[in-house]
Amino acid sequence: MLSFKFRKALNAVYLSHIDILKTINKTLRRTHIPIDYSRGFNPHMLINMSQPLSLGIESLAEWATVQTSYDDPQGFLELYNNCCPQGLEASQCHITQTKPNIAGKVIASDYFIKNDKAVEIKEILENINKKPFFMEVKSKSGVYEKDVSPLIYRIKADADGIYLLSAFGNTNLRCDRFTEKLNQAFNLDIKLRDVTRLNQYVDQNGELKEVGEYIKGLL
Amino acid sequence: MRVEKPARYTGGEYNTPDMDKEHKLSFCLCFADVYEVAMSNLGIAILYDILNKDKDIVCQRCFAPWPDMGELLKEHNIPLMSIEKRKPLKDFDMIGFSLQYEMAYTNMLYMLDLAHIPFRAKDRSDDYPILIAGGPCTANPEPFADFFDIVYIGEGEEVNSKLCKLYLECGKDKRSFLREAAKIDGVYVPLLAETKNGITVTKVKKAVIKDLNKAPYPTKPLIPNLEIVHDRAVLELFRGCYAGCRFCQACFFYRPIRYRDKETLVDYAKKLLHNTGHEEIGLSSLSTGDYEDIYGVIADIKCLADSKNVNLQMPSLRLDSFSAKLMKGARKSSLTFAPEAGTQRLRNVINKNITDEDINKSMEIAFETGYSNIKLYFMLGLPTETDEDILGIAEIANRINEIYYRKRRNRALSINLSTAMFVPKPLTPFQWVEQISIDEMLRKQILLRNELKRIKGVKYNWHTAEVSKLEGVFARGGRELSYVIENAYNNGCRFDGWDEHFNYDLWLKAFESTGLDMESYSRQRDLEERLPWDFIDFGVKKSYLIKEYKKAMQGLTTPSCKNECQMCGVSSLGKCRRHKGEGNA
């Protein structure tokens, strides 16, 4: 198994999850490393991606895992980065014997939200999860108000902006909708392009562990 | 997000050439439809590749923004810009539009409007870019000629570089450039052309590439980051078509027939598979099955594709070139056949040389090979068509059903049957023929629909009658139609090729306000009448088209020119490739 961390930046922030998957698929084909394919009627590349990120948000920490016999992490980074379109460059690569199941294990993600006014309401922001904080949530059954405070694990503000650690994965706080709510509630002017995902975390024995560290532990 | 699929506008595709190189000429290649359609067009890929390989030129792209984006640009008064460097269109030296179908004309104006460029060539000063049109619509460029400084007639690969070089020599003096440009084969300058009774008389000769093997081909094409209509590597086998179906403009427009050799094709396939990362490779030509060594090409490319887990998409084949040999090893998704007409009599009229027996035999082979999903294409409203011919379509579907269920099968048969409306096109033996009224089109569609309802497993799709009517009008109209296009755009028409945006009433209003009678364009033309596109020398002689028309009316067929030249006259522009053992024309 080969897992790699890549960014979703520049023009690539406007690519949907499915388009990212297809683009990475093509990039991997261009590397010409031996990748395994399913043996069904329509063979497809055996690849797993981390959970989808809202369109327009930059990320420094997306993950993908491919099933391959190729076992040179440094060589892969060189090959991949020569073959990928701008904005999807890889920064880490790890080879493991077992499937890390990143999408299934990730439970949190942290973001930096650039904003120079946030510091003025530092107190309010940093205590936002101490009491119910209602946000409009869209689901298949319709639109309803939901208390999202349990999904906000930590929030800090300084002169540069907001640092948010929140639920991500099967239980998810959508950062695009959360910033929209902050704009409404506190008259901020956060744009999607001001948001950057910094890392993704898995739960390991009740503690949050950054995905790269978690994979290294599997080696 | 305020716009759907923002990646349509952001660029950043893999294989993007160096856009920052020093250059003397900036070219913007435009396509009057959305990104997904534009990026599926091989012509755009070829021209983009050629222009960017020129050391003096940087070529960028601009496609029609979807209405959500168009509205935002208008709201904020932002001019339409190129994808690569966000350069406003009006700041380019040259803008080239590839016009693929008549219903894109309003979109071309939509793009000019968003780019803050005046529509008509006569209203644009030297400060504006040179506007060029190309593509299959140039078979009759008159309806849009007034909007362009130059119309390329024929193959852009041949003309493009010559024009760019001339532009640099002329030092951006528009008048002298246009005067000189008009001397190049394939270049039509509407502003300078002579007219007689409103019809252009200045002769223009179609530009043709002599040797396709030597023509540049994009083996490092841009790889879109979002899914496009034809998301695959494309290999063009040959240009032109031997068949001579009398309704088909492409068949005559792209003559002479020129091949890429097998060695060249295999070399391109290797490069494409190496450079693109596509999951699929497709073979493209008007009638791929007619390629001399099609089995050899498929075998070699399939071998290459298999080694890289790439699917070779089997081409759409004429029934008579169909063979079990070709189908072996292909994915059994669906098979497409285009008999075009329901009876032998009508197939003779249109020169679709396929017999009922061919259809039966091909279906038997297809079902034995494992196919259970068949796509059938027909046309309604063909010249001399009667209700009997329409019922013949249902009979074919019925017979296919009967052949399938002769044996016990695991799956149910699914037949997707589509009908298009016949549109008389310039440069075909049917260019003189009347196009039936919309009421008659609807009557024929309903007749067929009711008949097909009785057949198990058939799904019927049909083309909008009103769109077909307008296609017919703009295919054969003259320069006066530019006012209808302009009025229609001003009324709100755009993306007319998209059902959800097409509004026939706005078109009716446009005709009304210009005082032109739409029906007068659908009429039968006299064989002696001077037609708006007669000033173009396409190689294929008018006398040949007249001969073919007369044969059609007598129900006589003309054999394929694969083995014997039918003397259409195109050899005056270049030699046709014919199969081994036969002399060249």
Side-chain angles (χ1 to χ4, degrees):
Chain A
M1 292 293 163
L2 184 151
S3 299
F4 61 100
K5 182 185 185 180
F6 63 96
R7 66 173 186 158
K8 188 183 173 202
L10 309 172
N11 294 335
V13 301
Y14 297 111
L15 298 182
S16 67
H17 187 65
I18 186 79
D19 288 332
I20 289 279
L21 175 66
K22 288 187 173 168
T23 302
I24 288 194
N25 193 308
K26 285 177 190 156
T27 302
L28 291 170
R29 285 170 169 278
R30 289 193 293 266
T31 64
H32 305 291
I33 64 166
I35 293 171
D36 294 349
Y37 284 77
S38 66
R39 288 175 193 173
F41 185 68
N42 290 312
H44 61 268
M45 191 180 279
L46 294 174
I47 179 169
N48 292 87
M49 303 276 289
S50 52
Q51 298 266 10
L53 175 69
S54 304
L55 206 67
I57 292 183
E58 184 190 45
S59 172
L60 305 179
E62 297 303 293
W63 285 88
T65 303
V66 280
Q67 204 166 300
T68 172
S69 54
Y70 190 81
D71 59 0
D72 174 8
Q74 202 48 43
F76 173 79
L77 286 179
E78 271 171 39
L79 279 172
Y80 175 90
N81 286 336
N82 278 332
C83 296
C84 76
Q86 211 183 27
L88 290 175
E89 293 82 359
S91 55
Q92 272 185 45
C93 175
H94 308 285
I95 311 288
T96 55
Q97 290 307 311
T98 52
K99 203 170 171 180
N101 185 20
I102 299 166
K105 296 227 159 145
V106 162
I107 59 154
S109 173
D110 60 357
Y111 304 88
F112 168 62
I113 304 162
K114 196 171 135 194
N115 190 272
D116 53 6
K117 282 192 202 149
V119 72
E120 292 166 18
I121 50 164
K122 182 177 162 70
E123 279 287 295
I124 306 172
L125 282 174
E126 293 185 353
N127 289 301
I128 208 164
N129 56 353
K130 302 284 185 318
K131 54 184 182 189
F133 184 72
F134 284 93
M135 200 174 107
E136 208 172 67
V137 172
K138 286 172 196 160
S139 74
K140 280 178 194 162
S141 50
V143 181
Y144 61 96
E145 290 279 315
K146 182 183 174 185
D147 174 18
V148 295
S149 60
L151 306 180
I152 304 166
Y153 300 148
R154 191 177 64 223
I155 184 162
K156 295 271 172 212
D158 67 15
D160 296 328
I162 304 164
Y163 298 86
L164 168 75
L165 177 71
S166 60
F168 180 65
N170 292 333
T171 315
N172 187 17
L173 176 71
R174 277 189 57 167
C175 198
D176 55 336
R177 294 200 182 138
F178 179 65
T179 52
E180 215 176 288
K181 179 68 188 175
L182 290 182
N183 284 344
Q184 279 170 19
F186 306 113
N187 202 23
L188 298 175
D189 185 25
I190 302 166
K191 306 260 185 332
L192 280 180
R193 61 170 180 266
D194 299 328
V195 184
T196 305
R197 168 183 280 168
L198 303 173
N199 271 309
Q200 296 187 47
Y201 300 89
V202 297
D203 174 20
Q204 208 161 44
N205 307 323
E207 282 199 13
L208 291 181
K209 198 158 196 178
E210 191 271 318
V211 171
E213 293 302 314
Y214 154 69
I215 296 174
K216 277 184 210 165
L218 296 176
L219 298 180
Chain B
M1 279 292 137
R2 293 178 68 187
V3 293
E4 199 187 318
K5 298 190 184 176
R8 284 169 172 163
Y9 316 105
T10 53
E13 296 94 339
Y14 186 73
N15 283 337
T16 301
D18 179 11
M19 289 289 137
D20 297 317
K21 76 177 182 198
E22 272 196 32
H23 59 277
K24 294 177 185 159
L25 189 147
S26 59
F27 196 106
C28 190
L29 202 52
C30 296
F31 194 93
D33 212 317
V34 278
Y35 182 93
E36 295 93 313
V37 181
M39 288 299 288
S40 302
N41 185 274
L42 181 61
I44 289 279
I46 292 176
L47 292 178
Y48 186 77
D49 182 62
I50 293 177
L51 288 165
N52 278 311
K53 274 181 182 154
D54 190 311
K55 64 176 176 39
D56 293 329
I57 304 170
V58 160
C59 174
Q60 302 184 38
R61 296 160 296 152
C62 182
F63 307 138
W66 196 241
D68 55 358
M69 184 64 162
E71 276 160 32
L72 273 181
L73 290 175
K74 278 216 152 179
E75 191 187 316
H76 296 280
N77 200 29
I78 300 169
L80 187 63
M81 291 178 275
S82 65
I83 293 176
E84 286 84 351
K85 301 296 282 183
R86 319 258 190 282
K87 179 173 166 172
L89 257 61
K90 62 178 186 315
D91 294 343
F92 281 87
D93 295 319
M94 284 186 178
I95 293 178
F97 271 92
S98 174
L99 295 173
Q100 300 289 316
Y101 47 99
E102 293 82 5
M103 301 317 288
Y105 294 167
T106 51
N107 257 23
M108 182 259 300
L109 295 188
Y110 166 60
M111 290 176 73
L112 292 182
D113 188 20
L114 289 173
H116 306 169
I117 294 174
F119 293 161
R120 293 181 182 271
K122 66 176 173 55
D123 299 332
R124 290 192 294 265
S125 66
D126 283 9
D127 296 337
Y128 286 98
I130 304 277
L131 248 73
I132 305 167
C137 282
T138 59
N140 174 22
E142 292 302 72
F144 57 83
D146 285 345
F147 303 128
F148 289 93
D149 300 298
I150 286 175
V151 179
Y152 283 164
I153 314 269
E155 288 161 333
E157 294 115 311
E158 188 61 22
V159 195
N160 232 323
S161 308
K162 286 183 193 165
L163 266 186
C164 292
K165 280 194 175 66
L166 179 66
Y167 181 78
L168 293 172
E169 279 166 28
C170 291
K172 302 191 179 181
D173 170 4
K174 206 177 201 173
R175 273 275 157 188
S176 65
F177 164 68
L178 291 177
R179 262 195 307 272
E180 288 305 308
K183 295 174 188 166
I184 301 174
D185 272 357
V187 173
Y188 167 42
V189 181
L191 269 180
L192 302 179
E194 251 181 78
T195 57
K196 209 172 172 183
N197 301 326
I199 291 185
T200 303
V201 289
T202 306
K203 285 280 173 200
V204 180
K205 198 182 204 180
K206 182 177 85 170
V208 164
I209 296 170
K210 301 276 187 260
D211 185 351
L212 209 55
N213 279 311
K214 289 183 187 149
Y217 196 76
T219 50
K220 264 185 111 175
L222 295 179
I223 310 300
N225 293 329
L226 70 157
E227 195 171 359
I228 59 168
V229 179
H230 299 302
D231 207 359
R232 62 178 81 98
V234 180
L235 199 54
E236 189 195 29
L237 268 58
F238 67 107
R239 256 179 229 180
C241 181
Y242 296 111
C245 301
R246 290 172 179 139
F247 56 84
C248 179
Q249 188 182 58
C251 173
F252 299 97
F253 189 74
Y254 292 105
R255 283 183 183 185
I257 295 144
R258 288 145 298 157
Y259 271 38
R260 281 199 168 87
D261 293 339
K262 191 174 138 192
E263 295 70 35
T264 312
L265 290 171
V266 172
D267 177 46
Y268 286 173
K270 269 185 204 157
K271 287 177 178 155
L272 280 168
L273 293 180
H274 188 269
N275 296 332
T276 64
H278 277 299
E279 284 185 326
E280 192 166 71
I281 183 163
L283 307 179
S284 164
S285 316
L286 290 170
S287 176
T288 305
D290 281 332
Y291 186 87
E292 187 173 291
D293 186 14
I294 187 66
Y295 301 134
V297 169
I298 288 181
D300 283 9
I301 294 174
K302 189 157 179 14
C303 187
L304 275 174
D306 284 349
S307 70
K308 295 196 177 290
N309 279 300
V310 171
N311 178 43
L312 169 64
Q313 198 222 14
M314 294 304 272
S316 167
L317 298 166
R318 283 169 60 85
L319 279 170
D320 54 358
S321 61
F322 187 83
S323 147
K325 203 170 160 188
L326 282 179
M327 289 191 296
K328 247 182 201 170
R331 267 184 215 168
K332 313 285 184 300
S333 49
S334 72
L335 267 184
T336 305
F337 298 119
E340 307 293 1
T343 60
Q344 191 58 53
R345 183 201 70 80
L346 193 54
R347 284 198 292 274
N348 288 349
V349 170
I350 63 173
N351 204 39
K352 190 87 189 181
N353 292 328
I354 293 169
T355 61
D356 283 341
E357 205 180 304
D358 290 332
I359 299 174
N360 297 350
K361 210 171 134 194
S362 303
M363 288 300 154
E364 277 168 18
I365 300 168
F367 297 149
E368 283 315 302
T369 320
Y371 286 93
S372 61
N373 196 349
I374 305 291
K375 284 183 192 159
L376 295 173
Y377 290 102
F378 292 93
M379 260 192 268
L380 293 179
L382 285 162
T384 77
E385 184 183 70
T386 62
D387 286 357
E388 198 186 315
D389 298 307
I390 297 170
L391 299 178
I393 296 175
E395 261 174 50
I396 291 178
N398 212 357
R399 211 168 51 236
I400 291 175
N401 230 316
E402 194 258 321
I403 294 171
Y404 187 79
Y405 289 110
R406 259 181 220 158
K407 283 191 181 172
R408 208 183 149 83
R409 315 262 182 190
N410 292 333
R411 284 194 210 144
L413 174 68
S414 153
I415 301 176
N416 279 297
L417 194 150
S418 305
T419 58
M421 273 296 156
F422 165 68
V423 176
K425 293 270 189 174
L427 188 62
T428 66
F430 289 160
Q431 63 181 2
W432 296 277
V433 168
E434 182 191 4
Q435 188 182 26
I436 56 169
S437 67
I438 290 178
D439 286 346
E440 185 60 3
M441 290 180 190
L442 295 174
R443 189 191 70 79
K444 285 174 189 267
Q445 285 172 342
I446 292 167
L447 175 69
L448 181 59
R449 193 185 63 190
N450 290 341
E451 204 59 26
L452 290 173
K453 270 183 193 167
R454 297 181 201 152
I455 307 167
K456 201 172 119 188
V458 176
K459 198 179 154 209
Y460 177 41
N461 306 299
W462 60 89
H463 196 60
T464 315
E466 289 83 357
V467 172
S468 306
K469 190 78 195 174
L470 285 170
E471 283 170 1
V473 169
F474 289 103
R476 297 194 295 174
R479 278 211 197 178
E480 67 286 354
L481 283 178
S482 71
Y483 294 98
V484 179
I485 300 170
E486 193 171 343
N487 282 351
Y489 172 70
N490 290 334
N491 290 347
C493 290
R494 58 214 64 181
F495 285 101
D496 293 299
W498 295 72
D499 282 350
E500 66 263 47
H501 289 290
F502 178 69
N503 186 332
Y504 189 54
D505 290 341
L506 297 179
W507 278 101
L508 289 179
K509 236 172 89 186
F511 272 95
E512 218 172 89
S513 55
T514 26
L516 293 170
D517 174 21
M518 197 201 289
E519 278 308 314
S520 69
Y521 292 92
S522 303
R523 69 186 166 83
Q524 171 84 30
R525 311 304 205 250
D526 279 344
L527 293 180
E528 294 75 33
E529 191 177 328
R530 193 166 182 89
L531 302 167
W533 55 94
D534 276 352
F535 71 98
I536 304 169
D537 175 8
F538 293 105
V540 177
K541 297 278 173 279
K542 196 171 178 181
S543 54
Y544 177 78
L545 297 177
I546 292 175
K547 197 173 99 190
E548 278 295 289
Y549 170 74
K550 287 181 176 165
K551 280 174 89 175
M553 293 306 125
Q554 294 162 16
L556 299 173
T557 59
T558 299
S560 155
C561 51
K562 199 166 173 176
N563 298 317
E564 192 187 343
C565 179
Q566 299 300 322
M567 313 299 276
C568 71
V570 81
S571 54
S572 63
L573 297 185
K575 280 184 178 176
C576 272
R577 162 75 174 244
R578 284 215 307 284
H579 281 200
K580 277 175 192 160
E582 300 289 334
N584 280 341

